[in-house]
Amino acid sequence: MRIRSDDFRRDGRAIVLVPTMGYLHDGHVSLLTAGRARGDILVLSIFVNPTQFGPNEDYARYPRDLAGDLAKAHAAGVDFAFVPTAAAMYPRAPLTRIVVDTLTDGLCSPRRPGHFVGVASVVAKLFHVVQPHVAIFGEKDYQQLMVIRRMAADLDVGVEIVGMPIVRERDGLAMSSRNAYLSSDERVRALSLSRALAAAEARFRDGERAATALIAAAKAEIADGVTVDYVELVDTDTLQPVDTIVRPALLALAAFVGKTRLIDNRVLSG
Ligand code: AMP
């Protein structure tokens, strides 16, 4: 991959990278479509990165479908799929880790110890191998997007980080590879996550600005049998908690629907 990228860079071609863990859905495809329009060479990486999963998380059973992914990639105009093995990415246990402070104080980070170290470190590796000019990420994983953007800026990586809006199913459920885990009953209950964000946004539009009231409005919508991991209101730039909204804020949540942990978020502004 590095040799190909060196050649393209020498020829003055703009390389765009869309990093994923595979099991592609229309959210991923939206990133590929945006990427196709932004450069000459579109690279999709598919790597289920073991270092970003906790010991009790779903690394071993994470859904995989390489043939299906490659068909979707081809249809979306991908030039290269970079699909390294874990052994190729980690020939030895790495001694080097990338820690991004303060942006990882809240939200998913304390609930998934080590997760963002794994994410920032593997994305840095992917950047060094693929050497893209642009990399595209989804706002579905808002904290991840902010962590990577800051890592790239702090380390002078020279990759433009582009964020794209959340793609949802018609009924509002944010698309996720993990939705494949849901039973039909769980799928119905999972809808309460996007409903919760919509309920809070409706309160916000009615003039409510207090975090406690907006968070309560969201939690009230969460279906029975769904266990809230967190609902937090944070500043869209610093990701620090907000008491009263005076500038754009992110309402973000995570919840367990059965064993499946899902996340969703919405920006409240204007
Ligand atoms: P993943 O394969 O889940 O690690 O996601 C790969 C990339 O796709 C990340 O940048 C995600 O934020 C993005 N992504 C995942 N789901 C969605 C979605 N529903 N809408 C937009 N982007 C998404």
Side-chain angles (χ1 to χ4, degrees):
M1 184 73 241
R2 154 95 44 73
I3 291 166
R4 304 302 290 264
S5 290
D6 281 344
D7 288 346
F8 290 129
R9 280 192 161 248
R10 202 175 306 115
D11 292 346
R13 318 285 289 279
I15 304 172
V16 181
L17 172 65
V18 176
T20 77
M21 299 202 299
Y23 212 74
L24 300 187
H25 50 67
D26 283 352
H28 297 117
V29 172
S30 76
L31 308 187
L32 295 173
T33 304
R36 186 62 282 169
R38 275 185 173 261
D40 304 313
I41 305 295
L42 178 58
V43 180
L44 162 71
S45 67
I46 300 176
F47 182 57
V48 184
N49 173 38
T51 72
Q52 70 190 65
F53 286 79
N56 299 317
E57 295 184 353
D58 56 344
Y59 174 67
R61 67 184 191 110
Y62 195 84
R64 290 164 169 88
D65 175 20
L66 184 57
D69 287 350
L70 294 180
K72 285 174 192 155
H74 193 254
V78 167
D79 296 301
F80 290 93
F82 177 54
V83 191
T85 61
M89 289 296 276
Y90 301 109
R92 64 197 80 78
L95 299 180
T96 307
R97 296 182 188 87
I98 296 180
V99 178
V100 180
D101 282 334
T102 70
L103 291 173
T104 53
D105 286 347
L107 305 175
C108 286
S109 186
R111 282 92 184 177
R112 302 189 68 187
H115 172 69
F116 287 108
V117 171
V119 167
S121 302
V122 79
V123 170
K125 282 167 70 72
L126 290 169
F127 284 178
H128 287 124
V129 173
V130 179
Q131 302 179 73
H133 297 84
V134 177
I136 307 192
F137 296 85
E139 290 173 358
K140 159 93 183 330
D141 302 87
Y142 193 98
Q143 189 172 25
Q144 168 175 280
L145 169 63
M146 298 300 284
V147 163
I148 289 165
R149 190 169 266 157
R150 187 58 186 255
M151 177 273 287
D154 285 349
L155 298 181
D156 303 303
V157 170
V159 178
E160 181 192 353
I161 308 299
V162 174
M164 294 295 295
I166 301 176
V167 175
R168 299 176 178 282
E169 303 284 358
R170 271 189 349 197
D171 57 12
L173 180 67
M175 289 193 184
S176 166
S177 305
R178 290 191 168 96
N179 291 348
Y181 296 142
L182 301 173
S183 68
S184 56
D185 180 54
E186 288 171 342
R187 173 74 179 64
V188 172
R189 280 182 279 150
L191 268 183
S192 66
L193 274 58
S194 54
R195 271 210 314 271
L197 297 173
E201 177 159 45
R203 290 290 301 275
F204 175 75
R205 297 267 160 251
D206 287 345
E208 184 60 72
R209 293 292 181 270
T212 47
L214 294 166
I215 290 169
K219 283 185 173 167
E221 284 293 319
I222 299 292
D224 289 346
V226 176
T227 307
V228 172
D229 196 13
Y230 68 80
V231 180
E232 289 182 12
L233 187 72
V234 297
D235 184 89
T236 48
D237 292 336
T238 66
L239 304 188
Q240 293 299 306
V242 164
D243 288 334
T244 307
I245 299 184
V246 291
R247 36 166 276 113
L250 181 81
L251 186 64
L253 57 79
F256 288 92
V257 184
K259 288 194 168 109
T260 304
R261 186 175 181 279
L262 299 177
I263 58 173
D264 200 351
N265 70 74
R266 194 178 272 244
V267 173
L268 304 181
S269 74

